Amino acid sequence: MGEMSLQQRGQMAQGLAGQGRFVEALAMVRGASDRERAALVDLEVGLLRACQDFDGLVALRRRQVGERPNSAVAHHNLGAALGDAGKQAEAEACARKALLMGSNSPETWLVLARSLQAVSKLDEAVAAYREVLARRPDYVEAISELAQQIWMMGGAVEAAREPFETALVSYPSNSPLLRALAVFNAYVGMPGGAVHADLVERTDRAGLRDPAVEVAASHLALDFDVDLAMSHAAMAVELAASDLSAWTAVAKCHLVKGEAEQALAIMDKLVAATGQDQATLAIHATAARMAGRTNPTGLDDTNGLIRASTIDTPEGWSSLSDYLAELTQALEAQHSFSRHPIGQSLRHGSQTPVDLRHVDDPVIQAFFKAIDGPIRDYLAALGQGSDAVRRRNTGDYRIVGCWSVRLHPGGFHEAHIHSRGWLSSACYIDLPQAVDRGGTEGWIAFGVPPYTLPTPLEPLKVEKPEPGKLVLFPSCMWHGTLPFEDERHRLTIAFDLIPV
């Protein structure tokens, strides 16, 4: 084959990316000459994001700053990449430099706000978020993050909701804004029926017919009126016949109605179309189980896919218990919020705002050495195969996010999946006595979806937490923490993996 032209290289990379083969597409771009690679830089940036290779993105943005040291845009881009990579102190410095160099864009203020929040400069972060909204009053990401921060800091619900209400006065038909407000309302304790009624009333008043809003309304109604939920899902399909989320909403309604075969027929097609989409795999597995079928994607092999082991004792500690005691103290110092985040599975607890991979603490950094051996043992035992999980196993891995959760008494994780991962985890650091009472308080349960079925499914597996235990499982497998009552918190670390 002759020398590939720039156009051919770009087209081939885009074709690979269209098949979900992002690593191969990135290699195709990186095989170009320096001159050609510069012409493909926007494609390379997109592929790095798709691969979740934020360190690679930082390296690219650093080169651009070196080439254009006086460019506010280059410094903004580097700050944004550093923020994505979890290097928040550097992100803050880059954002401030971009502002000093003349950038006054809402995007730069958002990079600054996010970095300030991550390094616990919370009042400054609130001020920076307000600067974003002064420049773009309908910036949904900034509105949502500002509301969440006020909520997680312990502010009144009305104060946290205020950024939404202010924006909706001027933008009453903004679909992403309406949907974000509904998520906020659901997570701060408003009853599901009231959240649904508020969303529908605002949508009707604005004269909005939008498939994404219909999907959101269907999800909300699923908890109290499945026929109403189905009507919203059907409307979403009518408005957007090829929309994945609309058809997924229809399938979920079929499941809640006990119509497993109808749900499975839809999900068979969606799995074939989407490949490794984690939510699609999870709902498909539920439909197959309800229909009494062997799961064609292999997610009913719980013994092979869910494995528990004990992390290694890192060098420098005489025992695992000594290390866990120090790790507990180090993690507690990272929990700067008093309430759970918005839009995630956590209820009645807190989550660390910074990716633990980038916390400058030797005790926390030792954790990544302690888990490397158990992860590699899991991958070796998992092996390769044709199912949705094993076919991606290369024997190597990269962590794409790591955080700590501190559940308060009465806290739990609603059943959920991790959409950005391939494998996910729960590692137990410090536990309440409730886990040893003889029941299943505070245990992790697998295989039960987060919606009510006419015949409830029993967990495929329930795992008891123990200090130092690491549980690894597919990111597309439903998992949640059972509630517990105790005077002590429940402290864990979680992370997601992708193959490399």
Side-chain angles (χ1 to χ4, degrees):
M1 183 176 178
E3 187 67 24
M4 190 182 304
S5 71
L6 174 63
Q7 182 179 9
Q8 288 173 321
R9 187 177 295 276
Q11 288 175 339
M12 290 186 69
Q14 289 174 327
L16 289 167
Q19 300 172 41
R21 298 161 63 183
F22 301 117
V23 173
E24 295 170 70
L26 187 58
M28 177 69 65
V29 170
R30 287 177 165 173
S33 67
D34 289 345
R35 179 184 60 80
E36 290 178 330
R37 191 169 169 182
L40 296 171
V41 67
D42 289 341
L43 177 57
E44 184 173 0
V45 166
L47 291 170
L48 285 166
R49 290 190 180 280
C51 292
Q52 301 182 50
D53 184 0
F54 297 116
D55 289 337
L57 182 58
V58 167
L60 185 154
R61 294 307 196 191
R62 287 195 196 281
R63 290 197 302 272
Q64 291 179 326
V65 167
E67 295 164 358
R68 296 179 291 154
N70 297 319
S71 167
V73 172
H75 284 280
H76 162 86
N77 288 340
L78 176 56
L82 288 163
D84 288 339
K87 300 175 182 178
Q88 303 295 350
E90 281 190 88
E92 178 191 350
C94 281
R96 291 192 185 281
K97 189 164 187 177
L99 290 168
L100 286 173
M101 296 175 77
S103 174
N104 198 30
S105 70
E107 291 83 2
T108 302
W109 280 102
L110 183 59
V111 171
L112 179 60
R114 288 170 170 169
S115 63
L116 289 168
Q117 184 198 83
V119 298
S120 298
K121 298 178 180 178
L122 302 183
D123 291 336
E124 291 180 63
V126 168
Y129 277 120
R130 297 202 185 281
E131 293 286 351
V132 176
L133 299 180
R135 290 156 179 79
R136 185 185 297 172
D138 63 340
Y139 205 152
V140 177
E141 290 88 345
I143 293 166
S144 298
E145 291 171 26
L146 173 57
Q148 174 177 255
Q149 179 165 325
I150 295 169
W151 158 257
M152 291 195 303
M153 289 169 65
V157 172
E158 293 76 13
R161 188 181 287 117
E162 179 272 333
F164 288 108
E165 297 289 6
T166 298
L168 283 166
V169 171
S170 299
Y171 306 95
S173 61
N174 184 310
S175 170
L177 190 57
L178 288 167
R179 287 181 279 124
L181 174 58
V183 172
F184 173 86
N185 285 335
Y187 277 78
V188 299
M190 183 183 287
V195 179
H196 174 270
D198 181 76
L199 175 61
V200 170
E201 191 275 332
R202 290 175 185 271
T203 303
D204 289 345
R205 191 167 66 228
L208 180 65
R209 297 181 77 242
D210 179 82
V213 169
E214 295 294 339
V215 169
S218 177
H219 176 76
L220 291 167
L222 204 59
D223 285 337
F224 63 88
D225 188 335
V226 66
D227 291 325
L228 179 59
M230 182 64 89
S231 69
H232 284 298
M235 178 57 70
V237 169
E238 181 180 323
L239 293 171
S242 61
D243 184 72
L244 170 67
S245 62
W247 282 107
T248 300
V250 173
K252 288 194 292 185
C253 290
H254 281 306
L255 291 178
V256 173
K257 289 168 73 72
E259 299 166 349
E261 293 291 349
Q262 292 92 323
L264 188 57
I266 293 171
M267 297 313 300
D268 280 341
K269 294 177 181 178
L270 296 187
V271 167
T274 62
Q276 61 193 42
D277 179 79
Q278 301 299 296
T280 302
L281 289 169
I283 298 167
H284 183 252
T286 299
R289 186 179 174 198
M290 288 180 62
R293 309 282 187 85
T294 298
N295 188 335
T297 57
L299 293 181
D300 45 9
D301 177 21
T302 52
N303 290 329
L305 296 176
I306 304 170
R307 294 176 181 268
S309 59
T310 302
I311 66 172
D312 296 331
T313 301
E315 185 177 350
W317 283 269
S318 60
S319 68
L320 183 57
S321 60
D322 287 345
Y323 172 65
L324 293 176
E326 289 194 41
L327 183 58
T328 296
Q329 293 181 345
L331 293 174
E332 291 284 359
Q334 297 297 317
H335 280 270
S336 55
F337 291 115
S338 60
R339 286 175 172 161
H340 58 254
I342 302 297
Q344 299 186 32
S345 64
L346 170 61
R347 299 292 195 282
H348 310 302
S350 64
Q351 181 171 307
T352 50
V354 179
D355 190 320
L356 296 181
R357 292 174 297 165
H358 306 295
V359 173
D360 186 17
D361 185 320
V363 179
I364 292 176
Q365 291 308 306
F367 175 76
F368 299 101
K369 297 179 181 178
I371 61 175
D372 181 68
I375 292 172
R376 295 189 183 281
D377 289 345
Y378 174 96
L379 296 178
L382 181 66
Q384 294 181 319
S386 60
D387 62 77
V389 179
R390 290 180 177 86
R391 68 174 174 235
R392 299 179 65 190
N393 185 14
T394 65
D396 203 358
Y397 72 93
R398 178 158 55 88
I399 296 175
V400 291
C402 182
W403 60 96
S404 173
V405 168
R406 182 177 60 188
L407 285 180
H408 301 158
F412 62 96
H413 280 279
E414 183 182 59
H416 63 290
I417 56 98
H418 292 199
S419 60
R420 296 177 59 228
W422 164 55
L423 299 174
S424 295
S425 65
C427 188
Y428 302 100
I429 310 302
D430 188 45
L431 297 168
Q433 293 180 347
V435 301
D436 290 317
R437 286 183 184 146
T440 56
E441 288 186 80
W443 293 27
I444 185 171
F446 295 95
V448 178
Y451 28 85
T452 302
L453 302 175
T455 302
L457 294 176
E458 292 296 320
L460 291 169
K461 192 170 188 176
V462 178
E463 190 74 41
K464 178 184 177 182
E466 296 174 8
K469 177 185 278 191
L470 172 65
V471 185
L472 293 166
F473 50 89
S475 299
C476 57
M477 184 167 283
W478 297 117
H479 58 285
T481 300
L482 303 174
F484 70 95
E485 291 296 337
D486 202 291
E487 294 180 356
R488 291 179 58 189
H489 298 300
R490 178 184 182 277
L491 187 67
T492 59
I493 291 178
F495 53 85
D496 288 333
L497 306 175
I498 60 173
V500 295

